[in-house]
Amino acid sequence: VEKRITGRKTEEVLKEILPRVITSLSFAKSMCWGEGSLRFSRPIRWILALFGQEAVEFSLDGMSSGNFTFGHRFLSPGAIKIDRPDQYLEKLKEAFCIANQEERKEIVFQDLKRLAGEEGGGVIVEEGLLDEVTCLVEYPRVLLGHFEEEFLALPGDVLIASMTSHQKYFPVADQEGKLLPAFLVVANNAQSAAKEIINGNRRVLRARLSDARFFFNEDRKSSQEEIVEREKDVIFEERLGSLYDKTERIVKLAGFIASSVDSALVPVVERAAFLSKSDLLTEMVGEFPKLQGVMGYHYALAQGEKKEVAQAIKEQYLPLGAKDSLPETLCGAILSLADKLDTIVGSFSIGLIPTGSEDPYGLRRQAQGAVNIILDKKFSLSLRLLINKALKGLGDKVKEEEKKPILLSVLDFFAQRMRYILTESGLKQDEIEAVLSVGFDNLVEIQDRAKALNEVRVEADFEPLSVGFKRAVNILKKGDPQMRVPRDQGSGIKRELLREKAEKELYDRYLEIESEVKGYLRKRNYQEALRVLATLREPIDNFFDQVMVMVEDKDLCLNRLSLLKLVTDLFLKIADFSCLKNLQLRSH
């Protein structure tokens, strides 16, 4: 079939396309204004549309496009005619509007560094704040202001939160990281108005810091224990009880984890867990929610708690995101892990399970954080046992018959996070599945086994060895059900039934390496365990070349199946080789 379509002028096509492009843009929040019906993030005041030197004329919601635009509405209020697209950026810059966002960002950043350096220090740039401020201005000018030194008596975290959260200021610190009584503000106005802008911002900041000082002093009038007692009146989740109930669960779970890691840590971890949520009821955290945990740290120190207790409280919410730092201390890591596990297990127990792209309670992030903590600290813990402990902590809030399904759901949820982490580390999908298919419990062991498999699988003996393993597994799966080896059988080999030379050699070689392999497994030296297993390649090949397994003699058949099961079970302590796909061998 030949179909002929007559071409159209680009200007005509653009008149149809451009309105659709504008209306197709979506925003988290949109509005409509005036008498129009178009919803957009902000009012559209004009539309500049050019094709070469000609304006592309169309109407949108009662507004007509043209060849003009505007710059800074105060510094250059008149309309600007754009004759060619290549004039756009330069003419806007002349009108005090830097349209290139990256250029604007670089100007802000360099000015921040320069002014902070003139003050004898460096600028503190919080993640995301520089991008946010860049998008708030058209023609940025960074200004330096000062505040009263008396406010430096407040914790640095409070000062930084007061400056960054509400005011979008950038704090200044000396070479040792100690805050200076100075702030940097990014204005969108002429340099001639600098004095008025600085004085206005100084007055606002003084009020903010005065409020913060009031909150700080008021919070310290109550002891930590008194605040913890008030947790009984705060609902954490209607079906999971009060904030105090959650605190009690975290204390028990964190204490259990600590006893498994190092029993000497138990008193510190349990004390930190007991105080961990108290700062949620303080005035300071009510004003600055991002300071949860951080204020608990400062209040614990002010009350005379050990530094280790305070530091664990500070680290309890880490990591906050995929790229955020992990807890540095063991106590902080244990507390964070216990808190996340309690939240995840509790949420699953009442049906608050992430589905598709929906995860309103951030459970994926919390599970990811828990996995990263375990791997980072090399916690050799049974995930299954931890989940059961968390379920036990929920008491009668979970029925006995519901516990196993919840356990399996949570394990699968963590397995998905583990898959992601292992994939991000560069491991192949079949390697990950090979390791996970033989059991999902100890995350550190899973990571070590997957890395060992990735390293050793490219060595010469492993591709043919995996082929032999798959043959053995298939025979064990597909054999006559009456002849299949019971799960607990495999070691009951009858030597007198080993009639062929190849099966005798395979059994003898197995006995030679069994203790060596298991010794490497106890030491978690999975690379060497795999290399020793690789020595079974030739005996396995010979066995399949020379021995018929599914013979009519039932005793002989069962003995040979038992031998195959004995061999495959040793492999399955590391990975299921039948999951591996084609191997790419290194050249030798």
Side-chain angles (χ1 to χ4, degrees):
V1 174
E2 182 177 316
K3 186 174 182 180
R4 188 176 299 275
I5 302 174
T6 304
R8 299 170 60 197
K9 290 186 177 182
T10 303
E11 298 95 312
E12 296 177 7
V13 177
L14 287 174
K15 288 179 182 181
E16 298 176 5
I17 291 177
L18 293 181
R20 294 203 301 267
V21 170
I22 296 172
T23 55
S24 68
L25 297 174
S26 61
F27 307 90
K29 294 182 179 180
S30 60
M31 64 175 86
C32 57
W33 53 91
E35 297 180 357
S37 59
L38 174 67
R39 299 188 66 86
F40 210 71
S41 64
R42 290 291 185 271
I44 299 178
R45 301 183 183 278
W46 68 89
I47 302 171
L48 168 65
L50 290 179
F51 177 65
Q53 298 183 27
E54 299 296 325
V56 180
E57 297 179 356
F58 62 89
S59 294
L60 181 66
D61 205 37
M63 187 181 310
S64 297
S65 63
N67 60 352
F68 65 92
T69 186
F70 289 85
H72 198 291
R73 302 307 296 276
F74 299 112
L75 303 181
S76 180
I80 305 167
K81 183 182 178 183
I82 305 295
D83 297 314
R84 303 187 312 273
D86 59 2
Q87 295 178 344
Y88 180 68
L89 294 178
E90 193 58 38
K91 282 200 172 186
L92 277 181
K93 186 177 293 187
E94 292 172 0
F96 303 96
C97 180
I98 298 173
N100 187 308
Q101 182 171 318
E102 290 304 315
E103 183 181 352
R104 232 169 35 248
K105 182 177 179 180
E106 185 63 19
I107 290 172
V108 173
F109 184 60
Q110 292 303 326
D111 282 354
L112 287 171
K113 290 201 301 182
R114 176 178 57 80
L115 288 174
E118 292 175 3
E119 193 69 8
V123 61
I124 298 175
V125 181
E126 286 203 349
E127 183 180 358
L129 182 58
L130 180 58
D131 289 328
E132 182 179 0
V133 169
T134 298
C135 293
L136 292 175
V137 294
E138 297 166 298
Y139 201 72
R141 286 289 181 268
V142 180
L143 305 173
L144 174 69
H146 297 85
F147 58 86
E148 292 80 357
E149 290 193 21
E150 63 189 66
F151 289 117
L152 292 177
L154 287 168
D157 297 302
V158 173
L159 294 174
I160 292 173
S162 298
M163 284 186 262
T164 59
S165 294
H166 293 306
Q167 302 308 121
K168 313 304 178 189
Y169 300 159
F170 293 87
V172 181
D174 62 19
Q175 302 301 322
E176 297 178 354
K178 184 179 179 181
L179 285 177
L180 297 173
F183 65 94
L184 295 164
V185 58
V186 182
N188 190 37
N189 213 327
Q191 192 69 30
S192 59
K195 186 175 181 180
E196 291 82 357
I197 294 172
I198 291 172
N199 287 336
N201 282 282
R202 184 188 294 123
R203 287 194 297 272
V204 174
L205 182 58
R206 183 186 300 119
R208 291 288 187 191
L209 295 181
S210 296
D211 288 345
R213 181 167 57 189
F214 172 78
F215 295 146
F216 187 63
N217 292 333
E218 285 296 305
D219 288 340
R220 290 188 297 165
K221 290 179 180 179
S222 300
S223 70
Q224 298 282 79
E225 284 80 1
E226 290 172 338
I227 299 176
V228 171
E229 191 66 22
R230 297 207 299 265
E231 292 177 5
K232 294 178 180 179
D233 300 322
V234 178
I235 297 298
F236 168 67
E237 206 287 334
E238 185 177 1
R239 290 162 290 179
L240 297 176
S242 67
L243 189 59
Y244 186 82
D245 293 330
K246 179 173 178 62
T247 297
E248 284 192 315
R249 294 196 299 268
I250 296 174
V251 170
K252 293 177 182 177
L253 187 55
F256 172 77
I257 297 172
S259 65
S260 303
V261 174
D262 183 351
S263 58
L265 302 175
V266 173
V268 172
V269 169
E270 289 186 340
R271 180 62 179 172
F274 178 72
L275 301 176
S276 62
K277 304 303 175 188
S278 62
D279 68 347
L280 296 179
L281 305 187
T282 62
E283 296 286 345
M284 187 70 78
V285 173
E287 181 70 14
F288 300 107
K290 65 187 294 185
L291 291 181
Q292 62 181 0
V294 175
M295 292 315 302
Y297 164 83
H298 290 294
Y299 293 144
L301 289 179
Q303 185 175 279
E305 297 289 341
K306 294 179 179 179
K307 180 68 180 290
E308 295 85 354
V309 171
Q311 189 65 29
I313 294 173
K314 186 177 184 178
E315 296 176 341
Q316 66 178 295
Y317 296 107
L318 298 179
L320 297 175
K323 298 181 180 179
D324 193 32
S325 57
L326 297 168
E328 293 183 5
T329 66
L330 281 177
C331 293
I334 292 169
L335 178 56
S336 177
L337 178 58
D339 186 17
K340 289 173 172 56
L341 279 169
D342 176 74
T343 299
I344 294 167
V345 173
S347 297
F348 270 68
S349 71
I350 57 175
L352 298 178
I353 303 173
T355 57
S357 60
E358 297 295 322
D359 186 14
Y361 298 93
L363 299 185
R364 290 191 182 93
R365 173 180 55 80
Q366 297 212 44
Q368 193 101 351
V371 172
N372 281 328
I373 287 171
I374 291 173
L375 298 179
D376 179 65
K377 299 303 181 187
K378 300 293 183 184
F379 287 158
S380 185
L381 302 167
S382 165
L383 185 59
R384 183 180 293 267
L385 181 58
L386 292 181
I387 295 170
N388 277 325
K389 283 288 182 183
L391 281 169
K392 184 178 180 181
L394 292 169
D396 58 8
K397 294 179 176 64
V398 181
K399 297 178 182 179
E400 192 63 35
E401 62 271 19
E402 296 174 341
K403 290 183 177 179
K404 186 174 181 180
I406 294 171
L407 167 67
L408 296 177
S409 294
V410 176
L411 280 173
D412 181 65
F413 186 63
F414 272 93
Q416 294 173 33
R417 310 280 77 73
M418 191 67 182
R419 283 187 178 91
Y420 172 79
I421 290 172
L422 293 177
T423 301
E424 287 295 296
S425 70
L427 297 176
K428 296 179 177 64
Q429 195 63 41
D430 61 340
E431 296 164 350
I432 296 169
E433 294 307 318
V435 170
L436 293 180
S437 63
V438 299
F440 182 78
D441 192 32
N442 188 309
L443 303 188
V444 177
E445 285 187 8
I446 288 170
Q447 183 185 54
D448 290 345
R449 286 189 279 120
K451 287 182 176 180
L453 183 57
N454 174 264
E455 178 183 327
V456 178
R457 71 177 290 190
V458 293
E459 296 179 2
D461 283 333
F462 264 81
E463 182 169 19
L465 181 63
S466 70
V467 173
F469 177 87
K470 290 175 185 178
R471 289 182 66 183
V473 169
N474 287 335
I475 290 174
L476 289 169
K477 285 181 179 178
K478 296 178 181 179
D480 185 342
Q482 294 183 350
M483 298 301 299
R484 289 180 187 170
V485 185
R487 180 170 295 184
D488 58 350
Q489 189 173 336
S491 58
I493 304 296
K494 297 178 180 178
R495 183 173 287 275
E496 66 274 12
L497 292 177
L498 299 175
R499 298 175 182 174
E500 303 291 341
K501 179 182 178 182
E503 59 183 328
K504 293 177 183 177
E505 289 178 348
L506 176 58
Y507 184 53
D508 289 340
R509 183 58 188 153
Y510 169 85
L511 293 177
E512 290 174 11
I513 69 167
E514 179 188 19
S515 60
E516 187 178 3
V517 170
K518 291 181 177 179
Y520 282 128
L521 292 178
R522 284 192 295 271
K523 297 175 184 178
R524 295 185 183 173
N525 188 344
Y526 301 109
Q527 287 90 341
E528 290 306 313
L530 284 169
R531 290 189 176 102
V532 174
L533 282 171
T535 63
L536 288 173
R537 173 201 166 179
E538 186 176 347
I540 289 176
D541 287 346
N542 292 337
F543 178 87
F544 283 117
D545 287 342
Q546 302 173 24
V547 178
M548 174 68 71
V549 177
M550 306 307 294
V551 293
E552 292 184 3
D553 187 325
K554 291 186 177 182
D555 290 337
L556 189 60
C557 179
L558 185 59
N559 202 57
R560 289 171 179 172
L561 288 172
S562 297
L563 177 57
L564 290 179
K565 186 174 187 303
L566 198 66
V567 173
T568 56
D569 282 352
L570 198 56
F571 282 87
L572 291 172
K573 293 183 183 299
I574 300 176
D576 182 352
F577 277 61
S578 64
C579 295
L580 298 179
K581 296 180 170 46
N582 293 335
L583 303 177
Q584 299 297 322
L585 303 183
R586 283 196 293 254
S587 59
H588 291 276

